[in-house]
Amino acid sequence: MTVTAIGPNGGLIVPPGHGKTLTTAAQHVTFKVTGEHSRTASTFEVVVPPGFDVGAHAHGHSEELFYVLEGELEVLAFEPLVRTPDSWREWESSSGQRAVRATRGTLILVPPGCPHAFANPTGEPARMLFQASPPPDHERYFEELMEILGSGGEVDHAAVERLRIRYDIDQITPLRHDAGRTAGEPEPVKAARTL
């Protein structure tokens, strides 16, 4: 079964394993619903490898929704008392909220402006459904990020920072992969695309 659009006023059926997939050592993202299909949100299936930490960040205009399908993630979605620049793991909100362990079935809704983060501290991959509204900014961000990561050699961190600014991402703490190493250091991350 392939991805099926059901007429101009119909729905969309995306079977398991279908959609455009972008892959690096630190990212595995499958586009399920794009701005081509929906005016409201882009939807992705994301595999989060062990040791990956997206880093705390916020979006001025986007709303995001995360739903854990498999595995466990450490997550937060709140404004901390103090935004420490190296790690979000010890952040605490004014009401005493701290990062939580999200297991299968956990949903996280992130309004615009809210700092949020997720990391996989386990030895097994986690899988989640991720929605970003409005489309297509996250689609374009993922595509351009994969181009930077797949360019060979050391990751151009200045190019990644410019990309984040262009797509409304205020990166508060660093993105890391492999148990604390900042993504792209010291070995380059190579990208592959599959459809």
Side-chain angles (χ1 to χ4, degrees):
M1 178 188 253
T2 60
V3 176
T4 307
I6 306 172
N9 295 320
L12 176 73
I13 298 172
V14 184
H18 286 261
K20 177 182 178 181
T21 299
L22 305 178
T23 304
T24 69
Q27 303 266 330
H28 184 91
V29 178
T30 302
F31 293 24
K32 295 294 188 175
V33 177
T34 66
E36 177 185 347
H37 309 111
S38 171
R39 292 180 308 230
T40 358
S42 300
T43 304
F44 312 92
E45 185 176 311
V46 179
V47 177
V48 184
F52 180 79
D53 177 349
V54 74
H57 60 284
H59 309 282
H61 306 292
S62 293
E63 179 175 274
E64 295 181 334
L65 180 138
F66 302 89
Y67 185 81
V68 180
L69 299 168
E70 294 177 350
E72 297 182 6
L73 296 170
E74 190 173 356
V75 300
L76 72 74
F78 59 78
E79 182 63 56
L81 290 168
V82 178
R83 288 185 177 192
T84 54
D86 186 54
S87 177
W88 55 270
R89 301 283 177 99
E90 300 303 318
W91 284 8
E92 186 174 342
S93 75
S94 60
S95 64
Q97 288 180 297
R98 298 183 67 90
V100 299
R101 187 62 67 101
T103 57
R104 186 172 60 124
T106 302
L107 183 136
I108 302 102
L109 179 64
V110 182
C114 178
H116 55 288
F118 62 85
N120 184 348
T122 74
E124 298 295 323
R127 195 168 56 92
M128 67 179 172
L129 194 67
F130 164 52
Q131 245 182 6
S133 177
D137 283 358
H138 271 73
E139 299 160 38
R140 292 180 181 152
Y141 171 74
F142 283 135
E143 289 172 335
E144 292 182 40
L145 179 63
M146 295 301 176
E147 287 177 16
I148 293 169
L149 296 179
S151 63
E154 288 294 317
V155 172
D156 183 345
H157 293 284
V160 172
E161 180 59 25
R162 287 190 301 274
L163 181 67
R164 288 176 176 153
I165 290 167
R166 195 164 70 249
Y167 287 108
D168 187 35
I169 301 170
D170 175 17
Q171 193 73 34
I172 303 163
T173 67
L175 180 148
R176 293 188 167 99
H177 186 240
D178 287 339
R181 187 178 78 217
T182 301
E185 295 176 359
E187 297 175 4
V189 180
K190 300 213 184 232
R193 291 178 184 238
T194 59
L195 298 176

